[in-house]
C-alpha cells in the first residue's frame, strides 16, 4: 500500500476551538497540533482517513485538494472516506462550499459515519468542537454508509472498531494489504508523545480508557510491526514499529 500524509498545517486551537496557523501566531495561547488526514492507496481503493479542517491556501483553494494534485490524484478518485468521529477538524474537508450550498469534495466516495457518534454530536449543541452547519450538510449527502456495529470489516482490507475514549463512539481503523498494516487511532493516539507519557487527558471524554487503549495498541504495534498514523503530531506523520 501507499500512504500519503495530507498535512493542512500546524495549528493552534483556543478553548473555543478556533484554529489559527501556528507559524503566523507563534505567541497565541492554546493547544498546538498538526492536522493531517491520510490517503491510503491499495490495489482496490483510494481510502481517505478523516478529511481535516477544509483549510484553504492564499488562493482560496483547499489545501487537501492541492496536495492530492501534487500526487497526481483527483478528488474524484477517492473511493472511500472513513470518518473516525465528527469533530470539525476531522470532517470539514469532506465538503466544499459553493454559491449553491455545500457539495461533496469527493463525489465518488462512500462516506463512512458512525451513527452513534452522530447522535452524540446532535445531543451536544453548543459544543464548539462541532461545526453544525457542515455536519447538517454532510448527513444530507447521498453516498453515506451508516455504521452502527461495534466492530467489523468494511472489506477484506479495512477493519474498524468503536473504541470511545476521546469521544464516546470514536472509531479506529486498520488497513491491511500485502502484509502491511496501517493503524489509525485517531485522537486516542494523535501524537507520538502520547506513547511516551501515560496520561489520562482531561480533554478526552474518557481519558482513562484512551490511556489504556494506547498501552494495548503499543504492544500490538510492536508485535505486528504496524505503521501508526499520527493525525495531530507537529513533526511526525507515520510511526513505524
Amino acid at each position: 500500500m501507499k500512504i500519503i500524509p495530507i498535512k493542512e498545517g500546524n495549528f493552534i486551537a483556543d478553548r473555543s476551538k478556533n484554529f489559527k496557523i501556528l507559524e503566523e501566531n507563534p505567541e497565541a495561547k492554546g493547544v498546538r497540533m498538526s492536522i493531517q488526514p491520510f490517503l491510503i492507496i491499495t490495489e482496490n481503493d483510494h481510502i481517505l482517513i478523516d478529511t481535516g479542517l477544509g483549510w484553504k491556501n492564499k488562493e482560496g483553494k483547499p489545501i487537501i485538494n492541492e496536495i492530492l494534485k501534487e500526487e497526481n490524484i483527483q478528488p474524484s478518485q477517492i473511493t472511500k472516506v472513513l470518518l473516525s468521529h465528527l469533530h470539525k477538524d476531522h470532517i470539514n474537508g469532506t465538503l466544499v462550499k459553493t454559491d449553491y450550498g455545500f457539495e461533496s469534495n469527493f463525489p465518488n466516495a462512500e462516506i463512512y459515519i458512525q451513527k452513534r457518534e452522530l447522535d452524540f454530536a446532535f445531543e451536544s449543541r453548543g459544543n464548539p468542537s462541532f461545526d453544525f452547519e457542515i455536519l447538517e450538510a454532510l448527513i444530507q449527502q447521498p453516498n453515506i454508509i451508516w455504521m452502527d456495529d461495534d466492530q467489523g470489516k468494511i472489506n477484506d482490507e479495512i477493519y474498524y472498531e468503536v473504541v470511545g475514549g476521546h469521544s464516546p463512539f470514536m472509531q479506529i481503523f486498520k488497513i491491511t494489504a500485502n502484509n502491511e498494516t496501517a493503524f489509525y487511532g485517531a485522537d486516542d493516539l494523535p501524537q507520538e508523545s502520547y506513547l511516551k507519557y501515560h496520561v489520562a487527558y482531561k480533554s478526552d471524554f474518557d481519558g482513562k480508557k484512551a490511556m489504556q487503549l494506547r498501552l494495548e495498541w503499543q504492544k500490538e504495534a510492536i508485535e505486528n510491526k504496524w505503521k501508526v498514523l499520527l493525525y495531530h503530531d507537529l513533526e511526525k506523520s507515520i510511526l513505524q514499529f
Side-chain angles (χ1 to χ4, degrees), residues 9-46:
N10 290 335
F11 294 84
I12 189 158
D14 63 22
R15 291 184 178 181
S16 297
K17 297 299 187 291
N18 297 309
F19 287 82
K20 298 178 181 178
I21 293 289
L22 179 57
E23 64 183 18
E24 297 174 358
N25 302 273
E27 304 302 323
K29 294 181 180 180
V31 179
R32 300 182 176 203
M33 66 181 79
S34 75
I35 295 179
Q36 51 186 0
F38 292 88
L39 176 64
I40 298 181
I41 303 173
T42 70
E43 292 181 6
N44 301 310
D45 282 299
H46 283 55

Side-chain angles (χ1 to χ4, degrees), residues 77-91:
Q77 291 177 257
I78 306 301
T79 55
K80 289 180 173 61
V81 171
L82 311 180
L83 298 180
S84 63
H85 62 300
L86 299 175
H87 289 169
K88 61 187 176 184
D89 56 320
H90 288 257
I91 71 163

